[in-house]
Amino acid sequence: NWSNYPMWNYVGSDFLYILYNKFYISANTYDHPNLETKLSFKEFNEKREDPNVLLSLIQKFSGKFVIYHKDIDHTWINHTKYIKSAIGKLTTDGTLREIATNKYFDFYALNQRYFVPLIHLSKNSLSTATFFKVSPVKYKLHLHLVGDDNLIFNQSFDSQWNIYTTDATVECSKHIPYP
Protein backbone atom coordinates (compact mmCIF):
# COMPACT_ATOMS: atom_id res chain seq x y z
CA ASN A 1 0.00 0.00 0.00
CA TRP A 2 1.17 3.46 -0.88
CA SER A 3 -0.27 6.42 1.00
CA ASN A 4 -0.16 10.17 0.82
CA TYR A 5 -1.10 11.94 4.07
CA PRO A 6 -0.44 15.66 3.46
CA MET A 7 -1.77 16.62 6.90
CA TRP A 8 0.98 14.44 8.40
CA ASN A 9 3.61 15.50 5.83
CA TYR A 10 3.98 11.84 4.89
CA VAL A 11 4.18 10.01 1.57
CA GLY A 12 5.21 6.35 1.51
CA SER A 13 4.26 2.86 2.49
CA ASP A 14 0.99 2.78 4.44
CA PHE A 15 1.78 2.18 8.10
CA LEU A 16 -1.75 2.29 9.51
CA TYR A 17 -1.96 -1.49 9.92
CA ILE A 18 0.66 -1.13 12.67
CA LEU A 19 -1.75 1.02 14.69
CA TYR A 20 -4.41 -1.68 14.95
CA ASN A 21 -4.41 -4.92 16.87
CA LYS A 22 -7.41 -6.14 14.88
CA PHE A 23 -8.11 -7.30 11.34
CA TYR A 24 -7.58 -4.37 9.00
CA ILE A 25 -8.89 -3.97 5.45
CA SER A 26 -7.85 -0.91 3.50
CA ALA A 27 -10.11 0.33 0.72
CA ASN A 28 -7.12 0.81 -1.59
CA THR A 29 -5.77 -2.74 -1.37
CA TYR A 30 -6.62 -5.87 -3.28
CA ASP A 31 -9.20 -8.25 -1.83
CA HIS A 32 -6.72 -11.12 -1.84
CA PRO A 33 -3.03 -10.39 -1.15
CA ASN A 34 -1.74 -13.13 -3.48
CA LEU A 35 -4.19 -12.99 -6.37
CA GLU A 36 -4.25 -9.19 -6.70
CA THR A 37 -7.13 -9.15 -9.15
CA LYS A 38 -9.99 -7.28 -7.50
CA LEU A 39 -10.36 -3.93 -5.77
CA SER A 40 -13.93 -4.19 -4.46
CA PHE A 41 -14.13 -0.77 -2.79
CA LYS A 42 -12.65 0.99 -5.83
CA GLU A 43 -15.13 -0.82 -8.10
CA PHE A 44 -18.01 0.12 -5.78
CA ASN A 45 -17.00 3.77 -5.94
CA GLU A 46 -16.55 3.81 -9.74
CA LYS A 47 -19.81 1.96 -10.47
CA ARG A 48 -21.72 4.13 -7.96
CA GLU A 49 -23.61 1.08 -6.77
CA ASP A 50 -26.44 1.00 -4.25
CA PRO A 51 -25.24 1.76 -0.68
CA ASN A 52 -26.34 -1.75 0.35
CA VAL A 53 -23.53 -3.08 -1.85
CA LEU A 54 -21.12 -1.19 0.44
CA LEU A 55 -22.78 -2.97 3.37
CA SER A 56 -22.21 -6.33 1.66
CA LEU A 57 -18.51 -5.44 1.19
CA ILE A 58 -18.18 -4.55 4.87
CA GLN A 59 -19.82 -7.91 5.68
CA LYS A 60 -17.62 -9.78 3.20
CA PHE A 61 -14.57 -8.69 5.19
CA SER A 62 -16.28 -9.16 8.59
CA GLY A 63 -16.04 -5.44 9.26
CA LYS A 64 -17.23 -3.89 12.49
CA PHE A 65 -15.94 -0.37 11.92
CA VAL A 66 -15.41 2.03 9.03
CA ILE A 67 -12.82 4.80 8.97
CA TYR A 68 -13.26 7.46 6.31
CA HIS A 69 -9.98 9.35 5.93
CA LYS A 70 -10.04 13.11 5.47
CA ASP A 71 -6.27 13.41 5.98
CA ILE A 72 -5.45 12.24 2.45
CA ASP A 73 -4.70 14.25 -0.67
CA HIS A 74 -7.77 16.32 -1.68
CA THR A 75 -7.80 14.67 -5.11
CA TRP A 76 -8.66 11.37 -3.43
CA ILE A 77 -11.24 12.96 -1.15
CA ASN A 78 -13.01 14.32 -4.24
CA HIS A 79 -12.65 10.94 -5.95
CA THR A 80 -14.35 9.12 -3.05
CA LYS A 81 -17.33 11.45 -2.58
CA TYR A 82 -19.67 8.64 -3.62
CA ILE A 83 -18.36 6.34 -0.87
CA LYS A 84 -18.86 9.18 1.61
CA SER A 85 -22.43 9.59 0.32
CA ALA A 86 -23.10 5.84 0.68
CA ILE A 87 -21.74 5.94 4.24
CA GLY A 88 -24.11 8.85 4.90
CA LYS A 89 -27.10 6.84 3.64
CA LEU A 90 -26.10 3.80 5.72
CA THR A 91 -25.79 6.12 8.74
CA THR A 92 -29.21 7.66 8.12
CA ASP A 93 -30.91 4.25 7.98
CA GLY A 94 -29.16 3.02 11.15
CA THR A 95 -26.83 0.50 9.51
CA LEU A 96 -23.79 2.57 10.59
CA ARG A 97 -23.44 4.86 13.60
CA GLU A 98 -20.96 7.74 13.70
CA ILE A 99 -18.72 7.37 16.73
CA ALA A 100 -16.18 10.13 16.20
CA THR A 101 -15.29 12.82 13.71
CA ASN A 102 -12.34 15.17 13.50
CA LYS A 103 -10.26 16.88 10.81
CA TYR A 104 -8.39 13.62 10.07
CA PHE A 105 -11.17 11.02 9.81
CA ASP A 106 -14.77 10.01 10.48
CA PHE A 107 -15.21 6.81 12.47
CA TYR A 108 -18.34 4.62 12.24
CA ALA A 109 -19.54 1.42 13.91
CA LEU A 110 -21.61 -1.19 12.11
CA ASN A 111 -24.96 -2.01 13.72
CA GLN A 112 -24.37 -5.40 15.40
CA ARG A 113 -27.33 -7.04 13.62
CA TYR A 114 -25.50 -6.62 10.27
CA PHE A 115 -22.19 -8.07 11.44
CA VAL A 116 -21.02 -11.27 9.70
CA PRO A 117 -18.23 -13.03 11.66
CA LEU A 118 -15.00 -14.04 9.94
CA ILE A 119 -15.68 -17.65 10.93
CA HIS A 120 -19.19 -18.90 11.57
CA LEU A 121 -21.58 -21.79 11.10
CA SER A 122 -24.29 -21.66 8.46
CA LYS A 123 -27.31 -23.57 9.73
CA ASN A 124 -27.88 -24.85 13.19
CA SER A 125 -28.43 -22.23 15.88
CA LEU A 126 -27.54 -24.80 18.55
CA SER A 127 -24.02 -25.23 17.13
CA THR A 128 -21.27 -22.84 18.22
CA ALA A 129 -17.92 -21.78 16.80
CA THR A 130 -15.31 -19.66 18.56
CA PHE A 131 -11.85 -18.86 17.26
CA PHE A 132 -8.71 -16.85 17.75
CA LYS A 133 -6.02 -15.93 15.30
CA VAL A 134 -2.71 -17.60 16.11
CA SER A 135 -0.86 -16.07 13.14
CA PRO A 136 -1.75 -14.61 9.72
CA VAL A 137 -2.03 -18.18 8.39
CA LYS A 138 -3.34 -20.11 11.40
CA TYR A 139 -6.57 -19.98 13.40
CA LYS A 140 -7.51 -22.09 16.39
CA LEU A 141 -11.19 -23.09 16.44
CA HIS A 142 -13.42 -24.53 19.11
CA LEU A 143 -16.51 -26.11 17.57
CA HIS A 144 -19.56 -27.62 19.17
CA LEU A 145 -21.68 -29.08 16.38
CA VAL A 146 -25.26 -30.21 16.82
CA GLY A 147 -26.14 -32.11 13.64
CA ASP A 148 -24.81 -31.29 10.17
CA ASP A 149 -23.52 -27.79 9.54
CA ASN A 150 -21.12 -25.87 7.31
CA LEU A 151 -18.15 -23.97 8.70
CA ILE A 152 -17.81 -20.69 6.81
CA PHE A 153 -14.49 -18.85 6.65
CA ASN A 154 -15.02 -15.42 5.03
CA GLN A 155 -11.74 -15.36 3.12
CA SER A 156 -10.67 -15.97 -0.47
CA PHE A 157 -10.46 -19.73 -0.91
CA ASP A 158 -7.09 -21.45 -1.12
CA SER A 159 -6.93 -25.10 -2.22
CA GLN A 160 -4.04 -25.69 0.21
CA TRP A 161 -6.12 -25.01 3.30
CA ASN A 162 -6.27 -27.78 5.87
CA ILE A 163 -8.40 -28.36 8.91
CA TYR A 164 -6.78 -30.43 11.62
CA THR A 165 -8.96 -32.03 14.24
CA THR A 166 -8.02 -34.03 17.28
CA ASP A 167 -8.94 -37.15 15.27
CA ALA A 168 -8.03 -36.55 11.61
CA THR A 169 -7.50 -34.05 8.82
CA VAL A 170 -10.72 -32.82 7.21
CA GLU A 171 -10.84 -31.92 3.52
CA CYS A 172 -11.69 -28.31 2.69
CA SER A 173 -13.92 -27.49 -0.24
CA LYS A 174 -14.67 -24.20 -1.87
CA HIS A 175 -17.85 -22.62 -0.59
CA ILE A 176 -20.04 -20.25 -2.56
CA PRO A 177 -18.34 -16.83 -2.36
CA TYR A 178 -19.98 -14.21 -0.19
CA PRO A 179 -22.08 -12.42 -1.32
Side-chain angles (χ1 to χ4, degrees), residues 1-14:
N1 286 341
W2 190 259
S3 294
N4 182 355
Y5 297 107
M7 295 173 88
W8 301 2
N9 295 315
Y10 178 80
V11 176
S13 182
D14 193 348

Side-chain angles (χ1 to χ4, degrees), residues 96-162:
L96 293 174
R97 179 175 47 90
E98 185 178 84
I99 294 178
T101 186
N102 57 48
K103 68 180 185 177
Y104 300 104
F105 61 84
D106 296 329
F107 186 63
Y108 303 87
L110 181 68
N111 183 317
Q112 184 62 32
R113 75 172 185 220
Y114 297 107
F115 175 67
V116 176
L118 178 69
I119 298 174
H120 62 282
L121 298 166
S122 65
K123 298 177 190 173
N124 194 325
S125 62
L126 298 175
S127 295
T128 60
T130 57
F131 72 94
F132 67 94
K133 187 176 184 176
V134 176
S135 73
V137 296
K138 184 177 182 179
Y139 292 83
K140 196 162 250 203
L141 297 159
H142 298 279
L143 300 173
H144 174 73
L145 299 176
V146 179
D148 290 336
D149 214 331
N150 291 312
L151 179 66
I152 303 199
F153 185 39
N154 264 356
Q155 294 287 294
S156 298
F157 180 75
D158 187 317
S159 61
Q160 295 182 8
W161 283 352
N162 289 305

Side-chain angles (χ1 to χ4, degrees), residues 15-46:
F15 58 86
L16 291 179
Y17 72 92
I18 298 170
L19 302 176
Y20 305 104
N21 189 20
K22 301 287 182 191
F23 299 114
Y24 176 79
I25 303 295
S26 175
N28 64 343
T29 58
Y30 291 98
D31 291 7
H32 188 283
N34 294 331
L35 301 177
E36 295 192 3
T37 58
K38 187 168 178 69
L39 291 161
S40 292
F41 293 98
K42 179 178 185 268
E43 290 175 12
F44 168 81
N45 188 62
E46 290 173 350

Side-chain angles (χ1 to χ4, degrees), residues 51-52 55 58-59 63-64 66 85-99 108-115:
N52 288 318
L55 171 60
I58 295 168
Q59 291 172 323
K64 290 184 179 181
V66 174
S85 170
I87 289 171
K89 288 176 183 172
L90 292 175
T91 302
T92 299
D93 74 10
T95 304
L96 293 174
R97 179 175 47 90
E98 185 178 84
I99 294 178
Y108 303 87
L110 181 68
N111 183 317
Q112 184 62 32
R113 75 172 185 220
Y114 297 107
F115 175 67

